[in-house]
Amino acid sequence: MSRGYQHDYAAGRPQMYDVSERHRKAATMVAVLSRCMGEKLRDARVLNVGCSAGLIDEALAPSVGSVTGVDIDASAIAKAVSRGLPANVTLLAGDAMALEFADQSFDAAICSQVYEHVPDVERLIGEIHRVLRPGGVCYFAATNRWAVVEMHHGLPFLSWLPTCLADRYMRLAGKGDRYYERHLGYGALRRLVAGFAVRDFTGPILDDPEAFEAAYLFRGKVKRFAARLMFRFARPIFPGYIWVLERRAT
């Protein structure tokens, strides 16, 4: 996988600078992590892998001890730093597959819609496991390869296709020259995180999105009902998942 497109990823994607959208995501992260960590979250040292323009990090800041965001997009990091950051937020340009932190440095981590962008996802997950303290948790949001509509480009069945056909599809649709993302299916995702204890919050969020500050994900009762039905009976093709990965104590 070429990584050239990642070095200026945020520049061509206005959603990375959408304050309300980023803050909504951060609120859901806080709600989920609070269920797992309780009061410990207030003092937690949190790592955000793939922080992009840093808006999520800023929104997390009041709820945690500190946030360290890492992203390969140095331009986005520089812009975030230039606008000023909360005192407990640090943003660094770096490689998620080679984190420059000591073992067991963080109480919690966030890896939200990031795994499909890296060339070696096993190294990414291994690095998150390494820097988490025993008992530490990672908020892991992942899109399913078998989602009917691919989330980044809005094209049906794009992630289902072999690379050569996906590239051609992108060009025909006028979405770019190549399809860079590499999604995994449900079973492959479960195998990827097998080194952690996994708590699946997708179902609880579908059942009570308001409790997790996630009502924005399901507009209307019909859409919410259909999503709950699909998750219950067709989980392997559900569009995406929110899991909490816990590094075991031993």
Side-chain angles (χ1 to χ4, degrees), residues 185-226:
Y186 178 77
L189 285 168
R190 294 293 302 201
R191 291 190 292 274
L192 176 68
V193 300
F196 295 88
V198 180
R199 290 182 63 180
D200 190 341
F201 275 84
T202 317
I205 290 171
L206 286 166
D207 290 338
D208 191 358
E210 290 79 11
F212 293 94
E213 304 289 342
Y216 62 94
L217 293 173
F218 311 103
R219 308 245 182 229
K221 293 182 179 180
V222 173
K223 183 176 180 180
R224 179 176 165 185
F225 175 77

